[in-house]
Amino acid sequence: MADRDRDRDPDRNQPQEIQLLHPPPHYRQTGPSTTQIVAVLTLLPVGGSLLALAALTLTGTLIGLSIAIPLFIIFSPVIVPATIAISMAVAGFLSSGAFGLTGLSSLNYGLKRMIRANAGAGVGKGQAKRGMWDMVGYVGQKTKDVGQNMENKAHEGGGAVRT
């Protein structure tokens, strides 16, 4: 009872109100901020229109498939080989491009590395290119030697099997 009397103002017989200029540090706002509300209100029409476009696209796709499936069945003896040929041609072009880019990038990397390695010795670009071509020639010669070696071994092994 004494605690209750201490909390009340003796003149008014009402509870005291404490005004805080700043909320305490443990106090957190539980509702969304105005920027979040504006973001949601802005994104609702965008999301709705994109959802409508998705529905229209799905409907058009289903209608197109219902028309195209009978045609695919009728013309499948022509379409299947044509599809295989076209896909093989596309794969060939793509792999050719990938191999070409890989080769060019590896040559570029080797040239830059050789230039950097010889930069302290005052080697110019022309000498670096010659060194690169010398290295390419050396690798080519080694490849030929290994191929010749394998061919000689195959002939030696093949002669032993025949006798």
Side-chain angles (χ1 to χ4, degrees):
M1 183 94 168
D3 292 334
R4 212 173 20 171
D5 290 338
R6 209 176 333 148
D7 292 339
R8 296 180 185 257
D9 189 8
D11 296 334
R12 295 178 156 185
N13 204 8
Q14 293 179 358
Q16 292 180 353
E17 291 185 20
I18 300 173
Q19 291 184 348
L20 295 174
L21 297 177
H22 300 289
H26 64 277
Y27 177 76
R28 292 190 181 161
Q29 186 177 10
T30 57
S33 67
T34 54
T35 55
Q36 290 172 336
I37 292 171
V38 169
V40 167
L41 290 177
T42 305
L43 291 177
L44 277 176
V46 173
S49 61
L50 288 175
L51 189 61
L53 283 174
L56 285 173
T57 305
L58 179 65
T59 305
T61 302
L62 291 175
I63 290 171
L65 274 175
S66 65
I67 293 171
I69 285 177
L71 293 174
F72 281 150
I73 291 172
I74 292 171
F75 294 111
S76 65
V78 176
I79 292 175
V80 171
T83 304
I84 292 171
I86 289 172
S87 62
M88 288 177 65
V90 168
F93 284 125
L94 290 176
S95 62
S96 171
F99 290 147
L101 283 175
T102 304
L104 285 175
S105 64
S106 64
L107 287 174
N108 187 27
Y109 172 77
L111 182 65
K112 284 184 178 182
R113 184 172 174 123
M114 190 173 291
I115 289 172
R116 259 190 265 128
N118 295 328
V123 176
K125 244 185 183 179
Q127 289 178 343
K129 284 182 182 180
R130 276 192 301 267
M132 180 75 166
W133 285 113
D134 289 343
M135 181 62 72
V136 169
Y138 173 74
V139 169
Q141 186 60 40
K142 277 300 228 184
T143 305
K144 286 179 186 177
D145 291 345
V146 168
Q148 188 66 36
N149 233 357
M150 289 176 67
E151 187 176 318
N152 290 340
K153 287 185 181 182
H155 284 300
E156 288 172 7
V161 172
R162 289 184 184 172
T163 53

